Amino acid sequence: MASFGELLCNHTDELVNRWYEWWKKEGPELPEMTEAVIKDHLPIQLRVIGEALREGRGSESPRKLWEHHRRLDPEQRVRDEVPIEEVVREYAYVIEVVRSWLNERDEQVSVQDYSFFSLAIFELAAESARRFAKYQAEQVARDRSEYVAGIAHQLRTPVTTLSLHVQQLERGHGSPDPRAVERLRRTVDRLSRLVDGILRLERFKPDELPVHPEALAPAQVIGQLVADYEHDASRKGLRLDISVNRSARMQVDRDLLVDALGNLIQNAIKYTEKGFVRVTLEEQDDEVVFKVEDSGPGISPERQRELFRPVRPGQPGGVGLGLTIAFRAAVAQGGTLELESEPGRGSTFLLRLPRAVRAREGVTGGLVETSLGNDASPRVH
């Protein structure tokens, strides 16, 4: 009669297929993600356990079986966003499948061998959880480091501009040039808005942001923002156009509107090397649509799916904090942020806001993780 170790080694494929059928019958929550996580590695893992039993190591601790990285790949599971509880449940299916398979065949195995097998599967799930926790902690540390670096990068430009304006004033004689004073004021305003936006990003979730609507003319807000960024655009030789209905009125939070539009305009200027950046406004029934269009390089479909993911400013090709702040400002007011873009044909961001935004007092629960939930995902076309 074959030993338990030989049974596992000789019938690996059959057991994996049985596990797969069991897994499908149970209805996994994330079938497209979890199938390969276990199935691709299970044959190796079953043979590792079988070989250990066949070699008489059933009295040893099975923990050492999983010290070799090649025998499982939890990092792939993390990259695929498969929850650890899903993996633990699927390894539990392995034990159930092997137990029922042994009963069907009326195979007699020793308590010691079966205990070793069960503990080996348990240790496999535990090792996956340990690596998952380590990987996640390292990822959080990397993201936080990149996040802080992104904040520093965002602050550097207005601080440098502010320093240059102050030096110009110091070199002047007599009364300061009113134009220089106005540029200084606008730079200070930009810096203040950026700091306020970052603080709101850190302190509140999108659905907890305080919203204080006021009656205003959106054309006036757009005009002020365009004036603030006109110097940046002209320095790159870009046209900064406006097409708005000056009679339009809405009830909206001015600070959040400036957060959203200001960052969209800044991003458009930043990533457009030639041509134009255009800001338009359309009134549609009970909502107002702000469009920020550019003649930049456009965004690939793959990159579009990454744009609104959790803040990781240090990633290659990342857009920093701007889009995150803009998106949260839209969601907080019951609006949406959409993207229309094709490589080589520029990009258009559409900020849709209700004509009359509802007021809300902020709910402060301490710092929140700077990520965007799936319930508030933007649309891309």
Side-chain angles (χ1 to χ4, degrees):
M1 182 176 65
S3 68
F4 189 21
E6 291 173 335
L7 290 172
L8 291 176
C9 291
N10 296 337
H11 299 276
T12 297
D13 292 339
E14 180 184 352
L15 290 170
V16 172
N17 288 333
R18 280 177 169 251
W19 171 87
Y20 184 55
E21 293 302 320
W22 189 301
W23 172 80
K24 288 194 297 184
K25 181 184 69 176
E26 292 296 324
E29 295 180 9
L30 305 168
E32 70 284 356
M33 292 182 179
T34 57
E35 178 175 352
V37 172
I38 303 297
K39 188 179 181 183
D40 288 355
H41 298 280
L42 189 55
I44 296 175
Q45 294 158 357
L46 288 177
R47 288 192 183 96
V48 167
I49 298 172
E51 289 169 2
L53 288 171
R54 193 162 55 183
E55 294 169 6
R57 289 185 280 140
S59 60
E60 301 176 6
S61 170
R63 178 174 298 180
K64 294 182 179 179
L65 292 176
W66 314 123
E67 290 180 349
H68 300 293
H69 177 79
R70 67 178 180 84
R71 288 171 178 161
L72 77 166
D73 188 9
E75 286 79 2
Q76 181 61 47
R77 175 181 54 74
V78 174
R79 287 192 294 271
D80 289 343
E81 300 179 359
V82 180
I84 183 62
E85 57 269 22
E86 184 80 7
V87 173
V88 171
R89 182 164 53 248
E90 291 177 9
Y91 275 123
Y93 296 160
V94 175
I95 295 177
E96 290 292 332
V97 163
V98 171
R99 182 184 60 81
S100 64
W101 181 77
L102 291 172
N103 288 338
E104 286 179 15
R105 293 172 57 94
D106 196 26
E107 296 285 356
Q108 302 296 317
V109 300
S110 69
V111 173
Q112 181 178 340
D113 283 357
Y114 190 78
S115 296
F116 179 87
F117 163 76
S118 300
L119 284 173
I121 295 296
F122 171 82
E123 288 293 347
L124 179 57
E127 177 65 12
S128 185
R130 284 192 289 270
R131 293 193 187 188
F132 174 54
K134 180 181 178 182
Y135 181 91
Q136 201 170 46
E138 291 173 349
Q139 186 65 51
V140 168
R142 284 194 298 270
D143 288 350
R144 178 54 58 179
S145 176
E146 293 169 353
Y147 177 57
V148 172
I151 291 177
H153 179 74
Q154 293 273 351
L155 292 174
R156 184 181 295 118
T157 299
V159 168
T160 300
T161 304
L162 185 60
S163 177
L164 290 174
H165 289 333
V166 170
Q167 291 176 23
Q168 290 175 359
L169 290 176
E170 289 175 342
R171 289 196 298 266
H173 301 284
S175 299
D177 183 350
R179 291 176 298 179
V181 173
E182 178 62 16
R183 288 196 297 268
L184 184 61
R185 182 193 65 76
R186 286 177 176 170
T187 301
V188 171
D189 287 345
R190 283 177 62 181
L191 185 58
S192 296
R193 288 200 302 268
L194 178 59
V195 171
D196 289 343
I198 291 171
L199 289 176
R200 281 191 286 269
L201 183 70
E202 280 290 304
R203 293 180 60 201
F204 300 100
K205 297 178 181 178
D207 58 354
E208 294 177 350
L209 271 167
V211 180
H212 302 130
E214 59 179 285
L216 54 78
Q220 184 181 17
V221 175
I222 293 173
Q224 291 172 346
L225 286 171
V226 167
D228 286 347
Y229 291 103
E230 197 167 19
H231 176 71
D232 295 343
S234 61
R235 189 172 56 186
K236 299 181 69 174
L238 301 176
R239 297 195 324 274
L240 188 50
D241 301 330
I242 307 177
S243 176
V244 299
N245 177 6
R246 296 189 177 278
S247 65
R249 297 291 184 273
M250 62 188 306
Q251 195 86 9
V252 68
D253 187 303
R254 180 186 294 269
D255 291 337
L256 292 177
L257 178 60
V258 168
D259 274 356
L261 278 181
N263 279 289
L264 292 177
I265 294 170
Q266 184 182 30
N267 263 343
I269 294 172
K270 179 179 179 181
Y271 291 101
T272 303
E273 295 303 323
K274 60 181 180 179
F276 66 88
V277 171
R278 183 180 299 123
V279 184
T280 61
L281 179 151
E282 295 179 6
E283 298 177 87
Q284 299 178 355
D285 298 329
D286 294 331
E287 71 176 8
V288 177
V289 182
F290 300 86
K291 292 185 179 181
V292 179
E293 182 183 3
D294 65 60
S295 58
I299 305 171
S300 68
E302 296 77 19
R303 182 67 186 126
Q304 289 182 35
R305 288 191 287 269
E306 299 292 328
L307 282 182
F308 298 92
R309 287 186 177 274
V311 180
R312 294 178 183 175
Q315 284 188 337
V319 294
L321 303 173
L323 281 184
T324 302
I325 294 174
F327 177 61
R328 290 166 68 93
V331 172
Q333 299 180 93
T336 62
L337 183 59
E338 303 171 14
L339 168 61
E340 298 174 351
S341 183
E342 293 181 28
R345 304 188 64 178
S347 302
T348 300
F349 284 90
L350 298 92
L351 171 66
R352 298 182 182 272
L353 294 176
R355 189 182 295 274
V357 170
R358 293 183 179 181
R360 179 177 62 236
E361 295 302 319
V363 181
T364 55
L367 296 181
V368 298
E369 184 176 344
T370 51
S371 62
L372 307 179
N374 292 332
D375 57 336
S377 299
R379 287 179 283 179
V380 293
H381 307 280

